[in-house]
Amino acid sequence: QVRLVESGGGLVQPGGSLRLSCAASGSAFSMSAMGWYRQAPGKEREFVASISSGGSSSRCGTHYVDSVQGRFTISRDNAKNTLYLQMNTVKPEDTAVYYCNFYPARSSWGQGTQVTVSS
């Protein structure tokens, strides 16, 4: 059973940056594709970004939802069992609770980390 703990959220002004982290327990992390997802108030949870087990330089690399392409960067450090999401040039519509999970997502979700973009 892999436990995923998200952190790094907070209040950020439009145009600012934030870096989210996801600490994973267990050996399955380094062998698995991982993803970031988010759920805005009153909306369904949606896919944000994914990364293959080998990282951004591997054949399958990374994938992003169109709305964050060019602004967000997903990365991972398998030695530290940690997944990251670098969020740049954030917009108010990026406000949501952000979750990490496997890709495709499994049924068990962590508590997420709240990101609020507001001036």
Side-chain angles (χ1 to χ4, degrees):
Q1 185 81 13
V2 175
R3 183 166 177 255
L4 302 169
V5 179
E6 304 91 345
S7 63
L11 175 64
V12 59
Q13 292 187 342
S17 297
L18 210 57
R19 189 194 198 200
L20 307 184
S21 299
C22 171
S25 63
S27 59
F29 175 84
S30 62
M31 299 180 289
S32 305
M34 298 296 297
W36 283 99
Y37 307 80
R38 65 186 180 187
Q39 186 167 20
K43 294 187 177 181
E44 296 287 320
R45 185 151 39 203
E46 67 169 349
F47 165 81
V48 175
S50 66
I51 187 168
S52 66
S53 58
S56 57
S57 61
S58 65
R59 186 172 64 90
C60 296
T62 57
H63 297 277
Y64 300 89
V65 67
D66 286 348
S67 59
V68 308
Q69 181 75 48
R71 300 188 297 120
F72 291 9
T73 302
I74 187 172
S75 62
R76 66 191 299 162
D77 186 335
N78 286 342
K80 295 182 179 179
N81 265 24
T82 303
L83 181 73
Y84 302 100
L85 185 69
Q86 178 67 43
M87 306 169 62
N88 296 331
T89 320
V90 296
K91 303 176 181 180
E93 51 264 43
D94 294 322
T95 294
V97 178
Y98 284 72
Y99 302 88
C100 64
N101 204 320
F102 293 88
Y103 181 78
R106 298 182 183 178
S107 59
S108 179
W109 295 86
Q111 83 288 349
T113 186
Q114 174 72 48
V115 172
T116 303
V117 182
S118 175
S119 55

